[in-house]
Amino acid sequence: MEKRIYNFAAGPAILPEPVLLEAQKDLFALPGVGMSILEISHRSKVYDAIHQEAKAGIKKLLDIPDNYSILFLQGGASLQFSMVPLNLMPPKNKADYTSTGSWSKKAIKEAKRVGTVNVAATTEEGEGDAKYFKRIPKQEELKLDPDAAYVHFTSNNTIFGTQWKMEPEVGNIPLVCDASSDILHKKIDVKKYALIYAGAQKNIGPSGVTLVIIRNDLLERCSDSLHTMLNYKTHVDNDSLYNTPNTFGIYIIKLVTKWLESLGGLDKMYETNKRKAGYIYQVIDESNGFYKGHSAVEDRSLMNVTFNLETPELEKKLIDEATKAGFNGLKGHRSVGGLRASIYNAFPEKGCADLAEFMKDFQKKN
Ligand SMILES: *Cc1c(COP(=O)(O)O)cnc(C)c1O
């Protein structure tokens, strides 16, 4: 079998090795079925069991109350940028958004096509093409409209490497979250949320499936005049089977939830994630400015560690040498430059410790 390398890619991203091995083993024919997951009908009993287990896995890990529906949709988190306002903004046609990174801005852009967006807080800095975000707004900075249809926030800013440590306090206004890059990295109190969405390809499975968790009372807002496929009610009424879902993606999600459960659930995962990020942030902090963390210290992401070096040349040298040593995907997003180590749930703890050692060694030599 091919040897695997350390994959720090931001998304699609690393999947747990036991999941890949189980999928590989069963890919030719599911046990007792004689066909693979890629070939069976989405209306078959066999598939239905997989679909229900994937949902049950998510529900158990996040302790999702019964008055929420769990959906597996398509179109990525990007389609949710449109579906959220189309379904939830009327009749008030105004909503609050916090602007904390590139994905927040994209969500705001689509919401503006539906109604009025109040940017409740932005942490954008810089001018022109050199704009960036390096922190999360403080609760006191939020200028919330008590009459907003909902408040939207992006829990982890994948590109800039910042993360909300706590949900914003929004009183009785429904809270909507793009959790694409940190869902399942720790336990959250789902009751605080009206809707959570996440593209699967960072922390739950492969690309091509989007998890949506929606509180059922919000379905009253979904107008019958919406296009069928854009209406959350369609997908709730049909258990995400109105059209052909990403059956393979949902099967992988089932395996990922089982893997998380076998490790001891999300509290255990969270402890591991803090240790993992800690190895790398510690090297940054003890480097006397050789490594410069991008995020404000208190807002650092546990999922995407972003940092720069003194010059782009030195950054390139580190990336080249790291790649040769088997650390792949460390180049930062073009809007931040530098390096980004994406260390989602499936990324092994040893890989973080090994990268930290590599960085210390690189500093000594340079
Ligand atoms: C990757 C990402 C997206 C985009 O996801 P797609 O599934 O490609 O549409 C949106 N939001 C966040 C926070 C992301 O990290």
Side-chain angles (χ1 to χ4, degrees), residues 75-79 81 103 154 156 158 178-181 199 201-202 210:
S78 299
L79 185 61
F81 297 164
W103 296 113
T154 311
N156 182 70
T158 326
D178 174 0
S180 293
S181 54
Q201 68 272 22
K202 282 143 191 164
T210 311

Side-chain angles (χ1 to χ4, degrees), residues 10 31 49 58 70 78 87 89 97 114 120 130 136 147 186 240 268 274 282 285 362:
I58 299 280
I70 299 167
S78 299
N87 282 271
M89 239 204 236
Y97 277 72
V114 180
I136 297 296
D147 198 36
K186 69 171 182 185
S240 306
K268 234 5 198 310
K274 283 192 282 194
Q282 190 183 354
D285 289 340
F362 183 85

Side-chain angles (χ1 to χ4, degrees), residues 61-348:
L61 285 167
L62 284 172
D63 206 359
I64 301 175
D66 289 338
N67 60 324
Y68 287 75
S69 298
I70 299 167
L71 304 175
F72 299 120
L73 307 184
Q74 290 160 76
S78 299
L79 185 61
Q80 295 309 307
F81 297 164
S82 300
M83 279 180 72
V84 164
L86 284 168
N87 282 271
L88 305 187
M89 239 204 236
K92 292 179 173 173
N93 280 324
K94 54 177 188 169
D96 285 352
Y97 277 72
T98 55
S99 182
T100 55
S102 314
W103 296 113
S104 302
K105 282 170 80 174
K106 288 189 173 167
I108 289 170
K109 180 178 168 200
E110 300 310 316
K112 280 183 173 168
R113 297 178 198 274
V114 180
T116 306
V117 170
N118 167 42
V119 177
T122 174
T123 49
E124 191 166 39
E125 297 175 52
E127 295 295 328
D129 288 343
K131 287 201 178 130
Y132 60 92
F133 296 81
K134 60 177 186 193
R135 64 179 193 94
I136 297 296
K138 305 259 180 297
Q139 181 67 31
E140 317 82 85
E141 290 176 70
L142 302 185
K143 295 199 172 54
L144 299 173
D145 173 359
D147 198 36
Y150 58 85
V151 183
H152 180 281
F153 79 111
T154 311
S155 51
N156 182 70
N157 298 284
T158 326
I159 292 175
F160 293 96
T162 61
Q163 187 174 30
W164 293 74
K165 295 285 130 71
M166 289 281 289
E167 302 83 1
E169 294 290 336
V170 296
N172 289 328
I173 316 170
L175 185 62
V176 174
C177 179
D178 174 0
S180 293
S181 54
D182 68 355
I183 183 107
L184 302 185
H185 91 291
K186 69 171 182 185
K187 198 81 154 266
I188 52 170
D189 184 1
V190 173
K191 289 192 298 298
K192 289 186 179 167
Y193 297 78
L195 189 150
I196 302 167
Y197 63 92
Q201 68 272 22
K202 282 143 191 164
N203 223 6
I204 348 177
S207 59
V209 52
T210 311
L211 172 68
V212 175
I213 301 164
I214 180 171
R215 206 175 63 218
N216 292 333
D217 59 282
L218 287 150
L219 297 169
E220 286 160 23
R221 296 192 190 182
C222 309
S223 161
D224 288 338
S225 66
L226 283 170
H227 285 246
T228 310
M229 277 294 287
L230 297 178
N231 193 326
Y232 288 125
K233 231 173 358 194
T234 304
H235 301 295
V236 170
D237 290 347
N238 293 280
D239 198 10
S240 306
L241 289 156
Y242 176 78
N243 74 318
T244 317
N246 179 348
T247 49
F248 181 72
I250 295 164
Y251 160 76
I252 298 290
I253 291 176
K254 179 197 103 162
L255 299 184
V256 169
T257 61
K258 279 204 168 146
W259 172 76
L260 283 166
E261 210 56 74
S262 77
L263 296 181
L266 298 190
D267 287 338
K268 234 5 198 310
M269 193 70 246
Y270 184 41
E271 291 308 313
T272 308
N273 283 330
K274 283 192 282 194
R275 277 200 309 277
K276 281 160 56 184
Y279 294 115
I280 307 171
Y281 284 125
Q282 190 183 354
V283 172
I284 293 173
D285 289 340
E286 294 176 354
S287 73
N288 280 318
F290 183 83
Y291 296 112
K292 303 169 206 314
H294 174 78
S295 167
V297 171
E298 64 276 20
D299 299 325
R300 282 173 169 175
S301 168
L302 293 184
M303 299 280 98
N304 311 96
V305 179
T306 49
F307 58 98
N308 292 80
L309 282 80
E310 192 63 45
T311 64
E313 291 70 38
L314 201 53
E315 290 170 346
K316 185 172 180 310
K317 188 168 181 226
L318 173 54
I319 293 166
D320 288 348
E321 289 182 17
T323 307
K324 279 201 199 94
F327 303 96
N328 198 266
L330 284 169
K331 195 171 175 343
H333 190 273
R334 60 189 180 283
S335 56
V336 186
L339 285 86
R340 170 175 54 175
S342 296
I343 48 172
Y344 302 116
N345 284 350
F347 193 89

